[in-house]
Amino acid sequence: MQIEFIRQRLRALGAGPIHEQRVLRDWVRARPHDQVRRRLDDFFPKALREALPALDVELHGLARLLSSHPTEDGAARLLVGLNDGQTVESVLLPRGGLCVSSQVGCAVGCQFCMTGRSGLIRQVTSGEIVAQVALARMQRAVKKVVFMGMGEPAHNLNNVMEAIELLGTEGNIGHKNLVFSTVGDVRVFERLPQGVVKPALALSLHTTKPDLRERLLPRAPRLTPRELVELGEQYARLTHYPVQYQWTLLEGINDGEDEMDGIVDLLKGKYAILNMIPYNTIPDLQFRRPSWEHARDILRRLHRRGVLTKLRDSAGQEVDGGCGQLRARAIADQPRSIAIHPA
């Protein structure tokens, strides 16, 4: 269910641009149609009025809440069911944020990520992306949407950009509060500046060493960290939003003094924020989460050397809900059918 397909259905029911806008706006804002001043009977064409209840059921059914896992800091991991039985994860963040998924699975195969272990199963449609926002708004207010859940948004660019446009025009979300996260596909830097809505950009950096980045992100585009930062800087200057560089902090791998020197060399003087996120432990992987004391020490040293750095926790650590873990656990808990063949 793509947003353009929904628009076509509305037009086929006699909707003009203003009616189409009203239906989509009510949906993405999770509000009843009668909450605004103009009554449906006086405003919508008859065919649209008659079809609207069934269409509402269909739109709300694009994303269903299967389970919610709250944490002490006010976040909540949501396991979301899609129409075909697949599941994705959304995360309600403190202070009105929401993290959404753009794919079921992921093809990048980051070595420290649970989602990438399943490979890419399918794309999430633009309607399903927006439906995650509408579902979250039934739980609490959402003022910011980050595309940092399951999947690589650059590998589902058309659907993600269509969702971003609707969220930024009808969803009452500021453009800089829509955050497109990517490992660094060059198509992103060509496409994002052309959009009606130009989101903020988050780039997964994780290391300043090209060879280590290739090992950690084996199927990411072959951009060096320096090339990635140069492309990010161009977009930051165009949009006047600083780029957020994401750095999953892995004990003994990318938390040494040599990496700190590399960060200063790459990011000092750039229109950038470095988000350091201590690794969200997955029991059967080799990577380990460094101590908070060590992470804070890195933060202080980078600040002193002129790099704006923020230390962030990965929501869901305490409920074993790192991205992809809820879905993996739900799949593991499903009863397995046994085929019985006649003799």
Side-chain angles (χ1 to χ4, degrees):
M1 179 76 81
Q2 294 174 315
I3 293 166
E4 181 55 34
F5 176 64
I6 299 169
R7 292 184 186 276
Q8 290 172 9
R9 287 178 60 182
L10 292 171
R11 292 166 196 157
L13 291 167
I18 193 168
H19 308 121
E20 182 182 314
Q21 180 186 55
R22 168 84 172 268
V23 173
L24 293 173
R25 183 179 294 174
D26 288 348
W27 172 44
V28 71
R29 298 190 187 190
R31 71 183 185 189
H33 294 300
D34 59 3
Q35 198 173 70
V36 294
R37 186 173 300 174
R38 300 186 72 173
R39 296 173 60 248
L40 296 187
D41 289 349
D42 301 331
F43 182 56
F44 280 173
K46 182 180 178 182
L48 178 58
R49 285 200 313 271
E50 291 175 347
L52 198 55
L55 181 61
D56 284 340
V57 170
E58 193 173 348
L59 292 177
H60 291 302
L62 289 176
R64 296 169 289 105
L65 182 61
L66 300 181
S67 62
S68 178
H69 305 259
T71 63
E72 291 181 358
D73 64 357
R77 287 264 176 189
L78 308 180
L79 184 64
V80 177
L82 307 179
N83 265 341
D84 63 352
Q86 294 290 350
T87 55
V88 294
E89 295 174 32
S90 303
V91 187
L92 290 165
L93 303 168
R95 297 177 295 281
L98 174 70
C99 179
V100 297
S101 292
S102 58
Q103 295 182 305
V104 181
C106 183
V108 176
C110 299
Q111 295 297 292
F112 47 83
C113 175
M114 176 65 84
T115 301
R117 299 175 75 181
S118 64
L120 177 62
I121 297 169
R122 76 164 174 87
Q123 306 290 9
V124 176
T125 68
S126 55
E128 290 170 330
I129 293 170
V130 171
Q132 291 175 66
V133 180
L135 176 66
R137 281 178 158 169
M138 294 177 186
Q139 319 297 314
R140 64 171 79 160
V142 172
K143 303 174 184 177
K144 180 176 183 176
V145 175
V146 297
F147 288 76
M148 296 182 186
M150 295 171 59
E152 165 52 56
H155 292 174
N156 191 16
L157 200 48
N158 289 338
N159 279 302
V160 170
M161 292 303 294
E162 191 174 43
I164 283 174
E165 182 171 337
L166 185 64
L167 293 171
T169 54
E170 307 301 341
N172 197 30
I173 299 174
H175 296 190
K176 68 180 180 180
N177 286 327
L178 293 162
V179 184
F180 187 108
S181 175
T182 176
V183 295
D185 194 303
V186 292
R187 292 171 296 181
V188 169
F189 302 100
E190 298 166 358
R191 182 74 177 273
L192 262 59
Q194 300 172 8
V196 174
V197 175
K198 296 175 178 61
L201 183 61
L203 295 176
S204 296
L205 188 58
H206 305 306
T207 178
T208 63
K209 303 172 184 176
D211 57 340
L212 177 58
R213 192 167 192 272
E214 288 186 14
R215 293 199 302 273
L216 291 175
L217 287 66
R219 291 189 289 278
R222 289 295 178 253
L223 291 170
T224 66
R226 189 170 299 278
E227 289 169 338
L228 191 63
V229 170
E230 288 171 357
L231 289 168
E233 184 71 3
Q234 291 172 21
Y235 187 75
R237 298 297 173 182
L238 172 71
T239 59
H240 308 292
Y241 311 149
V243 171
Q244 300 174 39
Y245 291 96
Q246 308 296 97
W247 189 286
T248 299
L249 202 57
L250 304 166
E251 184 179 60
I253 294 176
N254 63 357
D255 60 346
E257 195 65 38
D258 54 344
E259 287 281 28
M260 302 309 106
D261 292 340
I263 288 170
V264 172
D265 179 53
L266 278 183
L267 297 185
K268 187 174 182 178
K270 297 294 193 298
Y271 196 16
I273 299 169
L274 180 65
N275 289 326
M276 282 207 156
I277 309 165
Y279 176 60
N280 203 338
T281 301
I282 298 172
D284 60 341
L285 292 186
Q286 61 178 319
F287 304 103
R288 294 291 173 262
R289 181 183 177 94
S291 69
W292 271 103
E293 292 73 17
H294 181 46
R296 290 193 195 98
D297 182 58
I298 291 173
L299 178 75
R300 286 190 292 267
R301 285 188 287 137
L302 288 174
H303 275 174
R304 286 198 298 266
R305 298 177 69 181
V307 177
L308 177 57
T309 308
K310 294 185 177 180
L311 185 60
R312 301 187 183 277
D313 201 3
S314 179
Q317 175 75 14
E318 68 197 65
V319 295
D320 192 24
C323 201
Q325 287 177 266
L326 289 181
R327 182 177 187 276
R329 195 160 63 242
I331 291 172
D333 290 343
Q334 288 176 353
R336 291 175 171 81
S337 60
I338 300 174
I340 301 176
H341 302 281

